Amino acid sequence: MEDNPSIYRKLRRNKPALVALCFILLTVLLALFAYPLSPDSTPLANNMVVEISARPSGYRQQFLLVPKQRVPQQPGWFDGLLNGRPSAYAYVPVNGYFISGDTLKVRHRVDMALEDTLSYPLSRLGLPAGQAPEHWIDKHRIREQRFLLGTDRYGRDILSRLLIGARVSITVGIVSVLLSLSIGLLLGSLAGWYGGAIDNAIMYLINILWSIPTLLLVFAITLTIGKGFWEIFIAIGLTSWVSAARLIRGQVMQLKEMDFITAAKALGFRDSRIIFRHILPNIAGPVMVVAAANFATAILVEAGLSFLGVGVQPPTPSWGLMIKEHYNFLIAGHPMPALIPGMAIMALVLAFNILGNGLRDAIDVR
């Protein structure tokens, strides 16, 4: 416990590591509150308006909100925070409107220089009796929306999908780190503590897995357990424990020769108590460094898998999947739908690497 204040002070003096930590925490908060913060708060931010596909950053558009024939059931507050809220309206892009009798006629935007006329009975729009149609429609059925980062090829808001896609990157990092550290701590501790045949068997397994390219190993596990949302995260976690196990094995082999471990053995403590009460707490620093590196690796692997089509499946927003859907835009003069998620991946991975380097310097891992 005496080293903790010193480690904290060292990390606080490391400005790049501190900035990286703040960026990671900000990303986690944005991912947690993605739906309340997103302009499109529908589930998976999948509100498609194909008439405004591939619009640039800052694009503005007026919409007529037409009530759906079957109003979806609205979830509770907590469920809405986790999964979003289905919209009760269909969004029709319009360039203007006028009222003719009891009918609303709108100039429906079909493309940049193309429009047609659509007609809606005022009763279909839910006009209350005694209300002035123009004022009520302007207030309740016409909405102007600004797309800060533009729209994708399906007319979906890129900012909303970017925020919700952050959940995938953060979740895959958490799941893979927890899974890889659990396996790595178990096998690395057993190999380092007991040595002999147990060490040889575990190291043989580690060397085999180390020789297989990570993506190929993930492909094999994915084909075995499936391509679902959680299956991909588990597959990545099952391939990233090798580095943690090797490090932990070396640390345990070094610590088990220390005097305080010899004293614990002389007192008759069980092996499990010595490992979990006296050895593992003393290697928490190196484990934290490995965890930060594995977090960054998991984000990259998930993005690569989604780009190749074997990761998170549409319409779930994933930064790698967003690049896959729009990489051809790079040569079509509209690169932002592909560049924005790519820059987000780069920034988050860089933040974890800088934080890992800062932890290494603060803990002075050798």
Side-chain angles (χ1 to χ4, degrees):
M1 297 294 294
E2 295 178 358
D3 292 335
N4 288 339
S6 177
I7 293 173
Y8 173 72
R9 284 196 296 269
K10 289 180 181 178
L11 187 63
R12 190 174 60 182
R13 287 197 297 265
N14 190 332
K15 299 302 182 183
L18 194 61
V19 171
L21 178 60
C22 293
F23 179 78
I24 292 170
L25 294 177
L26 177 62
T27 304
V28 171
L29 289 175
L30 290 176
L32 181 60
F33 297 99
Y35 281 109
L37 295 174
S38 298
D40 179 8
S41 60
T42 59
L44 303 179
N46 195 39
N47 188 25
M48 298 185 185
V49 185
V50 294
E51 295 94 335
I52 58 169
S53 61
R55 293 295 90 209
S57 302
Y59 177 73
R60 293 178 181 270
Q61 178 63 52
Q62 277 192 338
F63 293 96
L64 172 67
L65 275 58
V66 180
K68 294 181 178 178
Q69 296 286 357
R70 179 176 295 180
V71 179
Q73 183 178 2
Q74 293 299 315
W77 179 85
F78 185 72
D79 193 21
L81 176 66
L82 293 180
N83 303 310
R85 297 179 178 276
S87 177
Y89 302 97
Y91 282 67
V92 179
V94 298
N95 294 330
Y97 74 91
F98 62 94
I99 296 175
S100 176
D102 58 353
T103 302
L104 176 71
K105 296 188 176 183
V106 296
R107 293 162 50 208
H108 174 220
R109 182 196 188 280
V110 179
D111 205 345
M112 286 296 295
L114 183 64
E115 63 180 41
D116 60 7
T117 302
L118 298 178
S119 300
Y120 296 93
L122 293 177
S123 58
R124 170 76 174 83
L125 300 177
L127 175 67
Q131 292 283 341
E134 294 86 353
H135 176 73
W136 186 85
I137 288 173
D138 282 337
K139 185 176 181 180
H140 297 284
R141 291 294 180 263
I142 296 294
R143 177 180 299 174
E144 182 178 78
Q145 184 173 346
R146 183 183 182 188
F147 299 89
L148 293 177
L149 298 181
T151 62
D152 66 7
R153 64 189 302 175
Y154 302 108
R156 299 174 296 196
D157 181 49
I158 292 179
L159 175 60
S160 301
R161 291 184 65 80
L162 190 73
L163 290 175
I164 298 170
R167 288 187 170 190
V168 174
S169 296
I170 296 298
T171 305
V172 70
I174 293 174
V175 172
S176 64
V177 165
L178 290 177
L179 191 56
S180 64
L181 287 186
S182 299
I183 299 174
L185 284 171
L186 176 62
L187 296 184
S189 299
L190 292 176
W193 180 258
Y194 291 107
I198 295 178
D199 184 26
N200 292 334
I202 293 176
M203 287 305 299
Y204 183 73
L205 175 62
I206 288 176
N207 290 331
I208 290 176
L209 294 177
W210 198 276
S211 65
I212 303 175
T214 302
L215 283 179
L216 292 182
L217 189 57
V218 173
F219 286 159
I221 297 175
T222 301
L223 292 175
T224 302
I225 64 177
K227 294 195 300 184
F229 186 81
W230 292 104
E231 286 82 353
I232 296 299
F233 298 167
I234 294 173
I236 296 174
L238 290 176
T239 60
S240 56
W241 60 269
V242 177
S243 57
R246 288 173 64 96
L247 173 68
I248 292 166
R249 170 183 174 269
Q251 293 289 319
V252 171
M253 292 179 66
Q254 179 182 2
L255 284 175
K256 74 177 184 179
E257 304 298 333
M258 303 292 287
D259 291 340
F260 71 95
I261 299 298
T262 304
K265 291 179 181 178
L267 291 173
F269 292 163
R270 296 189 305 273
D271 291 347
S272 59
R273 177 173 179 176
I274 295 175
I275 292 173
F276 288 101
R277 295 285 298 276
H278 301 284
I279 290 183
L280 294 185
N282 282 284
I283 63 174
V287 169
M288 290 171 59
V289 176
V290 171
N294 283 356
F295 211 116
T297 301
I299 294 172
L300 283 177
V301 172
E302 184 278 323
L305 291 173
S306 296
F307 182 81
L308 295 174
V310 296
V312 175
Q313 299 299 302
T316 302
S318 163
W319 292 347
L321 184 60
M322 292 172 69
I323 297 175
K324 176 181 181 293
E325 292 174 341
H326 302 95
Y327 71 94
N328 55 346
F329 281 33
L330 293 171
I331 58 175
H334 186 46
M336 295 311 293
L339 290 180
I340 289 172
M343 290 186 291
I345 294 171
M346 181 190 69
L348 190 57
V349 171
L350 179 62
F352 273 105
N353 286 329
I354 293 175
L355 179 61
N357 292 337
L359 289 172
R360 181 197 61 201
D361 296 338
I363 300 169
D364 195 24
V365 178
R366 294 182 177 88

